[in-house]
Amino acid sequence: MSSSPSSRPSVVVAELGPTNTGKTYRAIERMLEHDSGIIGLPLRLLAREVYDRVTAKVGEGRVALMTGEEKRIPPRPDYWICTVEAMPTDREVDFLAVDEIQLAAHRERGHVFTDRLLHARGRKETWFLGADTMRPMVQALIPHASVKRATRLSQLRYAGRKSLKSLPPRSAVVAFSADRVYELAESLRRLRGGVAVVLGALSPRTRNAQVAMYQSGEVQYLVATDAIGMGLNLDLNHVAFATLSKFDGAEQRDLYPDELAQIAGRAGRHLNDGSFGALNTLPELPPRIVSAIESHRFPAVRSLIWRNSSLDFASPEALLDSLSRAPRDSAFVRVERADDFDALKGLSAVPAIRELTTDKASVELLWQVCQVPDFRKGLFGQHVALLRETFLQLTAGDGKLDPTWLGRQVSPLDDASGDIHTLMDRLAAIRIWTYISHRPGWLNDAGEWQERTRRIEDALGDALHERLVERFVQRAARRSARRFVRASTTTQAAASDSPFAKLGLLLTEVPGAEGAVMTEEQFVQRVVDATHEAFEVDPLGRISFEAQPLARLVRGRDRRSPQLALAEPEVWTGGARQRLERRLVALARDLVTEAMGGFPAESFTGESRAPALRGVAYRLAEGLGIISQGEAREQWRLLDEESRERLKAQGVHEGQRFLYVTGALSPQALERRAMLTALFQQAPCPQGIPQEPALNVAALAGRNARAFGYEVIGPVALRIDIVERLAEGLRNPQAAKQVHALMQQLRLDGGTRAQVLRALGGQPGGAAQKRRRRRRGRKPPTAVPGKGGAHGQEPAGSSRFNERP
């Protein structure tokens, strides 16, 4: 990500329009057409949702998730899904997008979005997504931007006032305080039997479980804050406002029409129309507001919130002065207040801190400490006191936080007992320590603290979800209170014929059986959070996790698109089933990518790519990373040098008989290839595939050898990696020993060995036969001009792909 719009030329696109226009979907698809990308989103809940969507397309191995408190970073990610504040500004990528860019006018967070609008660019392409009210500002600040108006895919209509009892199924009721949300949820539970709850203060773990419960149809109603207004994809038919005002951090005020529209627009997804209204405890919405929401027309944004990004770290006073600097452009308004600025102002007045901040490094550290978020939103003085102690520890001794002190702060939070409010308070508190644990260089054993704080947050999130379900979902409406036992825990489970019977037992806690019993949500979350290596996939496509059979891969439309079938779907509640399937779809994508040797096919097959490059990439993807020269020759010849180098950088190699991804010939990739091919053909692999380097053609029983990674040569089928090694060796006069060793490994009889060597361009007797001929006075065959060296071989370094047909 470039920090300056002028550092490299970049196409800038602004997709502006109302909700349900598919803006975010198109940005994701566009990002995947590039080799690398970053997308910044306004909420960590939305970041997690987009992460799930992207990993379902390309697998988890290529995607990183980064928010203030959650980081899932594989060894070599191509794509980064982030909150806007957490976008890695020092990382260059081809594509960059920022969602909900109209938040640049938000009084507290706006300066971050404004900074991204002014400075964040992808090397090749940059997209800004948001409301059409941002059109004048984008055109003024980025004159060369291509501004497009996105059209809503469905209609949004005002439905007037309704009572809670008369709300149609698939409705969301929106309030703006936790207490009011709980009150409405309790009323709906009594009337309708069950309701899901979504608040911005929930952990992603809790929110995902609640949303999955709603999305799967376990409950038909949702009560939420305006957290649902920022792009969360929910199957809503109707949105009802329970109040029309909110506290915005400074004052209680009426909602602006565009804020009402942002939330109301969640109703109606894709081509399904939606409706909005208010509860009958409120007056009718004014006609002008109704008209504005239905027609998606609102006053344009005329100024953006700004904060100076060129900071002076000479002293705390200099830093405060640079942060307080007024903008030079009338299009910007300096941010009125921000927690980090207020914390800096308070800490700068502390004599002990003033004595320590005498150089640039210490002032920079003080600023980093001030940026620790106050998730508790309680007494700000308590938060400043916490930051004071944090800074003093980081500037004393070894420059790390004292683990004993850390333990005293974190240990009291490791308690999943209590009511909903108690659990939410603990969740807010542990988020601070999760954030601190991810600060580089602040802790000894940072990995252990990250694991500990995450474990506590997960436990609190699970407990909170259970409390929400217990309180707002009647037992008759859901089976969520059940617990299940892990494998071999009881003789009853072991005796069952069903591998899932042991998971479905309705049990209470088993005293003394630590870790043996867990709720459905806890087990599902373990699966969702698990890395790729935690799953076991056998040659028949059966997937297990921690010795529990979960699902199996089944035939899809092609080898690259296997489908999933849970082993016994009726065991799971709908929300759990949906979350399991989403995680396992991402696993399936990773398995396909393994078979292709890690080749990122999606990055090369987008519409913006040259037709020849798309063609080669498409054929490689269809061939799971291996195609013959005949398939590739014409399109390879049409590639420009840059495209060839891009493919080679991804491991694509010009072999003697094949164009292949180097990693696709590894033993693990060939195993995945055999599994995917057998699934698609709905027949077991022929015996010996892929372990045996050579098979009798009869053993294939007429099946396509190349589909399994073999090439038929005479009476045998050789594994393609062996074919390429032999062909390379026969072209290189210095590789006689390598060829001899390979031929011995194949254990072929004399006649078959001769046929293989002739087919690959060699001589049955090899170098020994040449020496015998010379001793008899015979001359070696003369090379035919234009036909390469002896035996009709091509000169070393030539490529069949460069031949004219």
Side-chain angles (χ1 to χ4, degrees):
M1 182 167 75
S2 173
S3 60
S4 169
S6 59
S7 61
R8 290 189 184 213
S10 173
V11 173
V12 179
V13 175
E15 280 240 13
L16 306 177
T19 56
N20 191 27
T21 59
K23 300 186 294 292
T24 306
Y25 171 82
R26 286 191 292 276
I28 292 170
E29 292 294 305
R30 185 62 172 165
M31 178 177 71
L32 296 180
E33 293 177 6
H34 289 271
D35 293 345
S36 59
I38 292 175
I39 182 166
L41 301 145
L43 299 173
R44 69 174 185 155
L45 303 180
L46 180 56
R48 184 60 196 241
E49 178 178 312
V50 171
Y51 172 80
D52 288 342
R53 290 168 61 185
V54 174
T55 55
K57 287 179 173 289
V58 302
E60 291 199 347
R62 299 182 60 199
V63 189
L65 173 66
M66 181 179 288
T67 69
E69 309 110 82
E70 187 175 16
K71 292 178 174 62
R72 293 172 67 96
I73 304 176
R76 291 178 296 277
D78 295 321
Y79 306 110
W80 295 73
I81 314 300
C82 315
T83 50
V84 173
E85 285 84 351
M87 294 172 73
T89 55
D90 58 345
R91 178 172 293 272
E92 286 200 349
V93 292
D94 289 340
F95 178 89
L96 181 141
V98 179
D99 200 11
E100 306 292 0
I101 194 62
Q102 75 276 3
L103 287 178
H106 190 276
R107 62 192 304 167
E108 291 185 25
R109 299 178 65 199
H111 64 90
V112 179
F113 286 78
T114 299
D115 181 79
R116 302 295 184 260
L117 181 68
L118 294 175
H119 302 300
R121 297 292 183 270
R123 278 188 298 243
K124 297 182 178 179
E125 197 165 1
T126 304
W127 281 30
F128 296 110
L129 318 170
D132 198 53
T133 55
M134 282 291 291
R135 181 180 296 269
M137 295 305 301
V138 171
Q139 291 174 328
L141 296 173
I142 316 175
H144 63 282
S146 172
V147 182
K148 302 178 181 179
R149 177 174 175 80
T151 304
R152 186 175 166 91
L153 300 174
S154 63
Q155 297 295 314
L156 185 63
R157 292 286 179 257
Y158 181 56
R161 299 185 301 157
K162 296 180 182 291
S163 66
L164 283 176
K165 189 174 182 179
S166 63
L167 286 176
R170 314 307 290 168
S171 288
V173 181
V174 180
F176 297 95
S177 71
D179 288 341
R180 181 64 171 142
V181 165
Y182 298 146
E183 178 188 337
L184 290 163
E186 180 63 30
S187 298
L188 269 173
R189 183 195 67 81
R190 290 195 300 266
L191 290 168
R192 298 294 189 179
V195 61
V197 174
V198 174
L199 303 91
L202 297 181
S203 69
R205 191 177 179 107
T206 310
R207 172 261 174 191
N208 288 344
Q210 289 284 308
V211 168
M213 188 171 67
Y214 172 80
Q215 288 290 87
S216 67
E218 292 180 52
V219 294
Q220 295 293 320
Y221 297 89
L222 181 74
V223 183
T225 62
D226 52 349
I228 67 168
M230 289 297 169
L232 298 183
N233 291 303
L234 300 167
D235 296 327
L236 293 173
N237 293 333
H238 181 74
V239 169
F241 290 94
T243 182
L244 299 174
S245 65
K246 73 172 185 177
F247 182 73
D248 66 359
E251 60 183 355
Q252 187 75 24
R253 63 168 176 81
D254 291 337
L255 291 163
Y256 302 128
D258 59 329
E259 291 176 318
L260 290 168
Q262 184 75 26
I263 299 167
R266 294 298 116 197
R269 301 306 302 158
H270 194 50
L271 301 178
N272 298 321
D273 294 342
S275 60
F276 68 98
L279 296 184
N280 58 3
T281 54
L282 299 176
E284 293 280 0
L285 288 176
R288 63 179 181 81
I289 291 180
V290 170
S291 176
I293 294 174
E294 290 183 338
S295 60
H296 320 297
R297 297 188 181 280
F298 306 97
V301 172
R302 295 299 179 186
S303 61
L304 304 181
I305 304 300
W306 178 90
R307 185 163 77 178
N308 180 32
S309 59
S310 300
L311 302 182
D312 184 351
F313 294 104
S315 68
E317 293 79 8
L319 178 57
L320 286 167
D321 288 343
S322 62
L323 286 166
S324 302
R325 191 169 301 159
R328 297 179 181 178
D329 194 315
S330 60
F332 304 122
V333 175
R334 184 170 61 85
V335 61
E336 292 180 11
R337 66 159 303 277
D339 285 350
D340 52 7
F341 180 87
D342 292 344
L344 176 64
K345 192 173 181 181
L347 292 178
S348 298
V350 177
I353 290 180
R354 293 179 64 87
E355 293 176 5
L356 292 168
T357 49
T358 56
D359 57 21
K360 180 179 179 181
S362 61
V363 176
E364 287 182 339
L365 177 60
L366 178 62
W367 180 232
Q368 292 170 9
V369 170
C370 290
Q371 290 179 299
V372 174
D374 180 18
F375 294 113
R376 293 174 295 187
K377 300 297 181 185
L379 296 175
F380 192 66
Q382 292 180 351
H383 184 65
V384 173
L386 173 65
L387 300 184
R388 174 183 176 277
E389 181 62 25
T390 300
F391 178 75
L392 291 176
Q393 289 196 29
L394 290 173
T395 52
D398 63 354
K400 309 287 184 181
L401 294 179
D402 177 18
T404 303
W405 176 77
L406 273 173
R408 289 200 302 268
Q409 308 302 315
V410 171
S411 294
L413 305 176
D414 193 2
D415 181 0
S417 63
D419 60 14
I420 290 173
H421 289 283
T422 301
L423 291 170
M424 289 193 68
D425 289 344
R426 290 190 192 126
L427 264 172
I430 197 62
R431 288 177 67 186
I432 295 174
W433 299 108
T434 301
Y435 182 94
I436 287 175
S437 72
H438 281 92
R439 296 301 302 175
W442 283 18
L443 295 87
N444 289 312
D445 301 321
E448 290 185 17
W449 284 103
Q450 290 167 11
E451 177 61 29
R452 182 176 177 183
T453 56
R454 178 174 179 176
R455 178 183 57 77
I456 294 173
E457 182 175 343
D458 289 347
L460 292 170
D462 289 339
L464 178 57
H465 176 64
E466 285 189 47
R467 302 295 191 281
L468 292 171
V469 170
E470 288 170 1
R471 180 171 172 182
F472 300 126
V473 183
Q474 291 178 3
R475 293 296 175 88
R478 190 174 192 263
R479 298 173 292 163
S480 68
R482 71 183 181 169
R483 299 178 181 274
F484 55 82
V485 181
R486 307 309 309 280
S488 71
T489 303
T490 67
T491 55
Q492 179 184 358
S496 171
D497 292 334
S498 167
F500 275 83
K502 53 184 169 288
L503 305 182
L505 296 177
L506 307 184
L507 299 176
T508 56
E509 294 285 356
V510 178
E514 182 180 354
V517 179
M518 64 181 70
T519 64
E520 177 187 71
E521 283 81 9
Q522 288 171 332
F523 181 75
V524 170
Q525 191 64 48
R526 287 174 68 86
V527 175
V528 170
D529 289 341
T531 62
H532 179 75
E533 294 73 22
F535 296 92
E536 298 174 6
V537 184
D538 70 13
L540 299 179
R542 294 177 299 206
I543 302 170
S544 300
F545 175 75
E546 295 181 349
Q548 298 292 345
L550 285 183
R552 58 189 173 87
L553 297 173
V554 296
R555 189 179 195 270
R557 68 176 183 273
D558 54 41
R559 290 187 298 172
R560 293 186 298 135
S561 308
Q563 301 300 301
L564 276 163
L566 292 179
E568 290 191 26
E570 68 278 1
V571 166
W572 309 100
T573 54
R577 184 167 58 249
Q578 186 181 71
R579 298 178 70 207
L580 280 174
E581 288 173 342
R582 171 170 279 188
R583 175 62 186 94
L584 295 176
V585 164
L587 173 67
R589 289 300 310 153
D590 281 328
L591 296 174
V592 173
T593 301
E594 283 183 7
M596 293 193 295
F599 181 65
E602 296 84 359
S603 299
F604 292 96
T605 52
E607 293 182 1
S608 62
R609 302 294 191 183
L613 178 59
R614 288 163 57 191
V616 170
Y618 177 79
R619 287 183 179 275
L620 277 171
E622 287 289 293
L624 294 180
I626 304 170
I627 52 177
S628 68
Q629 290 181 358
E631 293 176 277
R633 182 184 296 114
E634 179 61 24
Q635 288 172 322
W636 185 266
R637 183 177 63 81
L638 295 173
L639 291 176
D640 57 36
E641 192 59 33
E642 180 185 359
S643 295
R644 292 189 192 186
E645 290 304 316
R646 290 171 66 84
L647 288 171
K648 289 177 181 178
Q650 294 295 336
V652 178
H653 181 72
E654 301 176 60
Q656 301 304 310
R657 298 172 70 92
F658 294 91
L659 180 71
Y660 60 90
V661 180
T662 303
L665 297 184
S666 70
Q668 183 182 24
L670 290 169
E671 286 179 6
R672 299 302 190 207
R673 179 188 191 90
M675 177 192 70
L676 294 170
T677 301
L679 285 172
F680 184 70
Q681 295 182 357
Q682 296 183 300
C685 286
Q687 189 172 359
I689 290 178
Q691 293 80 17
E692 293 296 331
L695 297 171
N696 192 299
V697 170
L700 295 173
R703 297 170 73 180
N704 186 340
R706 195 173 292 171
F708 289 98
Y710 285 74
E711 179 78 345
V712 173
I713 299 179
V716 295
L718 298 185
R719 211 169 54 208
I720 287 174
D721 60 319
I722 300 295
V723 171
E724 283 296 323
R725 289 166 63 190
L726 281 172
E728 285 283 354
L730 289 169
R731 288 171 59 88
N732 182 359
Q734 309 303 318
K737 290 184 178 180
Q738 175 189 340
V739 173
H740 180 69
L742 282 173
M743 294 305 295
Q744 283 192 323
Q745 178 185 345
L746 296 179
R747 300 190 302 274
L748 304 178
D749 61 48
T752 303
R753 176 190 178 113
Q755 290 184 55
V756 168
L757 286 173
R758 277 195 295 268
L760 294 177
Q763 288 291 341
Q769 182 171 329
K770 292 182 189 176
R771 286 194 295 270
R772 285 196 299 271
R773 276 194 239 155
R774 290 193 184 100
R775 282 197 297 268
R776 291 196 300 268
R778 296 187 180 182
K779 294 182 180 180
T782 303
V784 180
K787 296 294 185 180
H791 316 309
Q793 294 181 11
E794 301 167 49
S798 70
S799 170
R800 292 179 186 268
F801 297 120
N802 294 323
E803 295 176 2
R804 296 276 179 176

